Amino acid sequence: MLTDGSGLNLGFIFLLQSLTLASHSQTHPFSHNFPSRTNFPGSTTAHHRAPVSRSYAPGDRSDQPRSKVIQWIKKNDGNDIENEGLVDGKDIERCWSDKNIAYREPLLRKRTNTTSQIAIVGSNVSPIESLDYEIIENELFKQDWRSRKKVQIFQYILLKWVFALIIGLGTGLVGFFNNIAVENIAGYKLLLTTDLMLKQKYFKAFVAYAGCNLGLATAAAALCAFIAPAAAGSGIPEVKAYLNGIDAYTILAPSTLFVKIFGSILGVSAGFVVGKEGPMVHTGACIASILGQGGSRKYHLTWKWLRYFKNDRDRRDLITCGAAAGVAAAFRAPVGGVLFALEEAASWWRSALLWRTFFTTAIVAMVLRAFMEYCSSGNCGLFGTGGLIMYDVSSATVSYSVADVLAVLLLGVIGGIFGSLYNYLVDKVLRTYSIINERGAGFKILLVITISLLTSCCSFGLPWFVKCHACPTNLTVECPTADASGNFKSFQCPSGYYNDLASLFLNTNDDAIRNLFSTSTEKEFRISSLFVFFAAVYCLGIITYGIAIPSGLFIPVILAGSCYGRLVGRLFASITKLDMGLFALLGAASFLGGTMRMTVSLCVILLELTNDLLLLPLVMLVLLISKTVADCFNKGVYDQIVKLKGFPFMEAYAEPYMRQLVAGDVVSGPLVSFSGVEKVEMIVHALRTTGHNGFPVIDEPPFSDAPELCGLVLRSHLLVLLKGKNFSRDRVLTGEEIFQKFTAFDFAKAGSGKGLKFEDLDINEEEMEMYVDLHPIINSSPYTVVETMSLAKAAILFRQIGLRHMCVVPKAQGRPPIVGILTRHDFMPEHVLGLYPHMKPCK
């Protein structure tokens, strides 16, 4: 399955990915390999490097539904995945019989080599593409910047700040809307249940409670299953992958944004043990992505200023601001949002981006603060303020001794163990759900209904096994609570008594956390109730994350951590000076550190969330310990999910065994290159029969004294050039004509799914025999490395610069000017270990 619980045929994926790896290219590239070189007629000769032979155990690809794969590839015209000539059934059959094909199994238990060009987005197998974060430097680009006036540069800079402002306003408004909607929908549901309970109509109360939950859950699942499967799950792994340089269809589409907002409201209101905080990160990224499309011809939004943003680099910066704004809106933690984007989401950072991100989160904080003032007068409905009130624990006195430090150390160890176990079980559940959901939308909705009924039975049924508590004396609040929220729910208890377990279960998740964080309430919750609630929330959180609804992990983790935090506090009650509410906060911090594996951002988020800076040393200590302990067992939950989905994520470090290899060791063929002035037929043939996204261009006499690497040309730029038909009958330079016919904006990246495709070309037989000058559109300064550079060094360089292609040039003179091209695929551990199985990764 995937992190969102959508369906997927494992056998189908298994086989489909076997076929796709045959190409190693990069059209939808995270992999685009140009190893040994196959020459098209008339192209330059090049060094040939024989690909490394790979073999797999018999039965790796047996008994798979071949027809489904063929139908899928035919449906997508054979061009949605990296392939070379897989355009008809015969080619597919030949590929099927190849015994040296590597494959990717994103969610299968046994993984051999995961180097395909597809990943799982929502419920679907989707082709993925690398992003062009590198600035293309060619003659058109230089002409564009030479002609750019100071006022235009000012407009570009100003518009960046305006977009940051709009992202902050939009995300803040969505965060406010989500809070108010959840508080009112869930509040009225709980109020109805409470009224029926007070009238002792217990069965009707359960039917009303479970029925409301079921209706809301079904609506959320239907939105995800039928409109935007990519909206399911938290969305943080997808945003993290995008900012690493991986693009996948629909992950930031308007439909995904719509379903993310309303599906999250419905899912959280349905009583699931999920949060709206994770989806808010995805929501902020979607808002930023829509702004960063560079305008829209469809809706006549083609203002010249907007065209400055038609590149992946500026879009990446906007989406980073959006992710930070999502955290700020979810937790009212503007500084924590900036640090979250820096520590967890973004793969590239610079000081200018820091300023804009901080500006965006500050706007979010001001928007939320303004609406809090507005709602304080009762203008947001009966339950309209609860979601905007933070978990303030500043009233508790913070003073601690050696015993308190020992308790914090214990909490850190417990959080690390429980967090690593949580991640392990989430991994297993996601794999199991994939088998259930592979049958289609109906089964996804059925799974959501099943989990909804189970959650309703636990929330309503478990409090019946708890004895009623007498209300404490000297309370400043009502006991038992008469409305839908509060610490002292009556449930089935007589007047003057309350049910502590019902006070946790029959509340919104925000109110349950508020109850656990409440200070000066040492014995408000009994040990047995805390044990039951912890076990239920821990298990329900695991089985709920992965179903087809937008769902976040922060709230379930905070709930479970708060429970064992109070339990440890009760254990040390005789010797500790800390309040039980502070122990709950430290328990939540330890569990967050054990699952998320973040430190700085979580520390600041929790302090902003609880308004207690005095706890800073203890929160830092517990996060460091829990992360250290959990790292001994497995990776963070978002890192695991990125791997499950099959995204080719580039880590910040290189694997140790990569130091034993050089760049030339992983380059494999065939390499396809063009001459500086190339025949149209050769370009069309290459575009038709390969999926490569970039092609090296080599100049030869008479255009140069000796063969030399002229640069790199992108597939998208070739399509624009061919579409313009600026051809010549003779093999001569025609750059000046191209400057007159095209501008730099003609080659700018279009919005999602709007670029030219090979099918859009209309070239007749006569034009096939003509020539086209590629020099004006070539990236004349591609990043190159010598073939003897260590693979580890090349991998670090590739990630830090944010490349899509890295040219490998020969060390010795007298050889062809390029050996091959390295892409994201070539650095994947699965690919490298597939080539050199004798090398063992460090455990």
Side-chain angles (χ1 to χ4, degrees):
M1 189 211 78
L2 197 327
T3 102
D4 48 24
S6 12
L8 123 91
N9 187 319
L10 291 184
F12 167 49
I13 295 175
F14 176 86
L15 174 60
L16 176 58
Q17 294 173 335
S18 302
L19 298 175
T20 60
L21 190 69
S23 58
H24 296 342
S25 337
Q26 180 156 3
T27 202
H28 296 293
F30 72 80
S31 64
H32 152 165
N33 225 354
F34 295 70
S36 43
R37 158 136 179 221
T38 296
N39 296 309
F40 291 104
S43 66
T44 58
T45 58
H47 173 69
H48 179 86
R49 179 183 298 274
V52 179
S53 175
R54 280 162 278 176
S55 61
Y56 298 95
D60 281 347
R61 290 172 281 110
S62 60
D63 302 324
Q64 304 299 336
R66 237 184 325 186
S67 59
K68 289 187 178 181
V69 181
I70 296 172
Q71 291 170 7
W72 191 89
I73 296 179
K74 284 183 176 180
K75 179 181 177 182
N76 292 275
D77 298 324
N79 292 319
D80 285 342
I81 49 179
E82 291 284 339
N83 59 79
E84 296 185 19
L86 297 186
V87 292
D88 57 37
K90 293 181 179 179
D91 289 326
I92 295 171
E93 293 292 340
R94 286 196 296 271
C95 182
W96 179 275
S97 63
D98 187 352
K99 296 182 179 180
N100 290 326
I101 294 177
Y103 54 84
R104 170 185 287 279
E105 307 165 73
L107 294 170
L108 292 182
R109 202 166 295 167
K110 295 180 180 179
R111 301 166 61 89
T112 304
N113 192 346
T114 57
T115 52
S116 163
Q117 278 74 25
I118 58 177
I120 304 190
V121 180
S123 61
N124 302 321
V125 178
S126 174
I128 58 175
E129 182 174 354
S130 290
L131 297 170
D132 293 297
Y133 289 153
E134 182 185 0
I135 297 287
I136 302 297
E137 293 186 354
N138 53 37
E139 291 302 319
L140 278 172
F141 173 86
K142 293 174 184 176
Q143 292 285 350
D144 177 59
W145 278 99
R146 288 194 197 108
S147 62
R148 189 79 60 90
K149 299 177 182 178
K150 288 185 178 180
V151 65
Q152 293 175 305
I153 297 175
F154 172 77
Q155 291 171 353
Y156 169 71
I157 296 173
L158 176 63
L159 200 57
K160 278 190 172 183
W161 288 97
V162 171
F163 277 179
L165 172 65
I166 296 173
I167 292 168
L169 289 173
T171 308
L173 289 172
V174 171
F176 166 74
F177 174 70
N178 280 6
N179 275 305
I180 298 306
V182 168
E183 288 294 315
N184 281 281
I185 295 173
Y188 281 110
K189 174 193 70 178
L190 294 171
L191 187 59
L192 173 62
T193 305
T194 301
D195 290 342
L196 292 172
M197 291 295 294
L198 291 175
K199 297 175 183 178
Q200 298 186 350
K201 298 179 179 180
Y202 301 134
F203 181 73
K204 287 185 177 180
F206 172 72
V207 171
Y209 177 73
C212 290
N213 285 346
L214 188 61
L216 294 168
T218 304
L223 285 176
C224 282
F226 295 112
I227 298 179
S234 72
I236 292 179
E238 285 84 353
V239 174
K240 186 174 179 177
Y242 185 95
L243 294 177
N244 190 257
I246 305 163
D247 192 16
Y249 184 64
T250 75
I251 61 174
L252 298 174
S255 60
T256 303
L257 173 62
F258 173 81
V259 174
K260 206 73 182 184
I261 295 173
F262 291 97
S264 177
I265 292 171
L266 294 170
V268 175
S269 301
F272 285 117
V273 184
V274 297
K276 54 185 178 294
E277 287 70 21
M280 274 304 304
V281 176
H282 197 177
T283 298
C286 288
I287 293 173
S289 176
I290 292 172
L291 287 174
Q293 293 298 309
S296 171
R297 293 181 181 176
K298 180 179 179 181
Y299 298 104
H300 306 290
L301 298 174
T302 55
W303 192 24
K304 188 175 181 179
W305 285 22
L306 295 176
R307 298 193 295 179
Y308 296 149
F309 292 87
K310 284 183 171 293
N311 63 83
D312 288 327
R313 192 183 185 90
D314 286 323
R315 291 178 193 173
R316 176 190 66 189
D317 291 350
L318 292 174
I319 290 169
T320 302
C321 291
V327 174
F331 295 106
R332 270 184 51 210
V335 179
V338 175
L339 293 175
F340 174 86
L342 171 61
E343 182 179 6
E344 180 66 13
S347 294
W348 296 281
W349 198 265
R350 62 184 189 278
S351 58
L353 180 59
L354 177 66
W355 279 101
R356 275 194 297 277
T357 305
F358 185 69
F359 172 72
T360 305
T361 57
I363 296 298
V364 173
M366 288 189 286
V367 169
L368 292 180
R369 185 65 190 178
F371 278 108
M372 283 179 63
E373 295 295 331
Y374 175 76
C375 290
S376 62
S377 57
N379 297 317
C380 300
L382 183 59
F383 309 98
T385 59
L388 293 174
I389 298 174
M390 296 297 99
Y391 315 123
D392 196 333
V393 297
S394 59
S395 60
T397 302
V398 181
S399 61
Y400 39 88
S401 61
V402 175
D404 299 316
V405 174
L406 292 177
V408 170
L409 294 176
L410 177 61
L411 278 175
V413 174
I414 293 174
I417 295 173
F418 279 153
S420 58
L421 178 62
Y422 193 90
N423 293 356
Y424 173 80
L425 294 175
V426 165
D427 179 280
K428 297 302 180 184
V429 167
L430 294 182
R431 293 171 185 272
T432 302
Y433 282 175
S434 66
I435 301 173
I436 300 173
N437 291 326
E438 66 179 345
R439 299 178 182 275
F443 282 84
K444 298 175 199 173
I445 297 175
L446 183 61
L447 179 60
V448 172
I449 290 173
T450 303
I451 301 299
S452 175
L453 291 175
L454 177 61
T455 303
S456 298
C457 290
C458 289
S459 300
F460 194 89
L462 291 177
W464 287 93
F465 297 95
V466 175
K467 294 181 180 179
C468 294
H469 252 322
C471 288
T473 57
N474 301 324
L475 285 177
T476 57
V477 296
E478 183 182 13
C479 180
T481 306
D483 60 13
S485 62
N487 289 36
F488 306 100
K489 300 281 287 189
S490 174
F491 200 60
Q492 88 287 14
C493 298
S495 178
Y497 288 82
Y498 75 97
N499 187 313
D500 60 340
L501 193 55
S503 301
L504 297 175
F505 272 121
L506 295 180
N507 261 322
T508 62
N509 292 332
D510 285 344
D511 284 332
I513 294 173
R514 193 171 292 107
N515 293 347
L516 289 167
F517 280 7
S518 59
T519 56
S520 303
T521 55
E522 180 178 342
K523 296 184 179 180
E524 176 183 334
F525 301 103
R526 285 179 293 188
I527 292 178
S528 59
S529 297
L530 290 173
F531 265 117
V532 171
F533 188 69
F534 168 73
V537 168
Y538 192 91
C539 296
L540 287 174
I542 291 170
I543 65 174
T544 303
Y545 189 80
I547 61 177
I549 62 168
S551 54
L553 279 172
F554 276 94
I555 292 301
V557 170
I558 292 176
L559 277 172
S562 301
C563 285
Y564 71 69
R566 287 188 80 101
L567 286 170
V568 172
R570 295 289 290 273
L571 179 66
F572 284 80
S574 60
I575 58 175
T576 186
K577 297 180 181 180
L578 287 178
D579 188 273
M580 290 299 108
L582 301 184
F583 269 108
L585 170 60
L586 293 172
S590 71
F591 202 11
L592 283 168
T595 54
M596 312 292 180
R597 312 295 165 82
M598 293 179 280
T599 52
V600 179
S601 56
L602 279 180
C603 183
V604 174
I605 287 172
L606 288 172
L607 294 178
E608 289 184 286
L609 192 64
T610 55
N611 193 30
D612 196 344
L613 192 60
L614 296 176
L615 273 178
L616 176 61
L618 294 182
V619 173
M620 293 173 64
L621 180 62
V622 77
L623 283 170
L624 287 171
I625 294 173
S626 61
K627 181 184 186 305
T628 302
V629 171
D631 281 340
C632 297
F633 299 98
N634 50 32
K635 290 187 176 182
V637 63
Y638 295 130
D639 293 324
Q640 286 189 339
I641 293 170
V642 166
K643 186 175 182 180
L644 282 175
K645 285 175 174 281
F647 291 121
F649 191 85
M650 287 287 293
E651 299 289 352
Y653 56 87
E655 297 291 344
Y657 58 80
M658 289 186 177
R659 301 192 180 280
Q660 305 174 39
L661 300 171
V662 296
D665 290 334
V666 296
V667 174
S668 54
L671 176 65
V672 180
S673 68
F674 297 130
S675 297
V677 180
E678 187 59 89
K679 198 173 185 179
V680 174
E681 180 185 8
M682 300 303 106
I683 300 176
V684 171
H685 180 64
L687 294 178
R688 180 190 295 119
T689 57
T690 72
H692 300 339
N693 176 73
F695 301 86
V697 178
I698 299 173
D699 261 346
E700 293 181 319
F703 302 109
S704 64
D705 294 334
E708 63 180 27
L709 178 62
C710 190
L712 196 72
V713 62
L714 299 183
R715 167 182 286 264
S716 58
H717 293 181
L718 287 172
L719 290 172
V720 173
L721 193 61
L722 293 178
K723 185 72 173 177
K725 296 189 176 183
N726 197 76
F727 307 145
S728 63
R729 296 189 179 278
D730 300 318
R731 195 180 181 203
V732 294
L733 298 175
T734 58
E736 291 300 325
E737 298 178 15
I738 292 178
F739 292 147
Q740 296 173 6
K741 188 169 184 178
F742 296 98
T743 66
F745 284 125
D746 293 326
F747 296 90
K749 185 165 184 176
S752 301
K754 304 296 191 303
L756 278 176
K757 296 181 174 58
F758 179 79
E759 293 73 18
D760 299 327
L761 299 181
D762 182 20
I763 300 177
N764 57 41
E765 291 296 329
E766 182 181 358
E767 292 168 334
M768 285 285 194
E769 300 300 320
M770 301 177 75
Y771 293 88
V772 59
D773 184 6
L774 303 181
H775 290 93
I777 65 169
I778 293 171
N779 179 10
S780 57
S781 57
Y783 285 91
T784 60
V785 298
V786 69
E787 61 182 339
T788 55
M789 176 183 283
S790 73
L791 189 61
K793 189 174 181 179
I796 294 172
L797 179 67
F798 190 95
R799 185 189 189 276
Q800 288 181 344
I801 300 178
L803 299 180
R804 185 172 186 174
H805 311 99
M806 177 182 281
C807 297
V808 180
V809 297
K811 183 178 179 64
Q813 296 182 354
R815 293 172 55 189
I818 183 169
V819 175
I821 293 182
L822 292 176
T823 60
R824 181 176 296 266
H825 157 80
D826 301 297
F827 296 105
M828 291 297 104
E830 296 85 354
H831 170 65
V832 177
L833 294 175
L835 293 172
Y836 302 97
H838 62 281
M839 292 186 174
K840 301 298 180 184
C842 295
K843 300 295 184 183

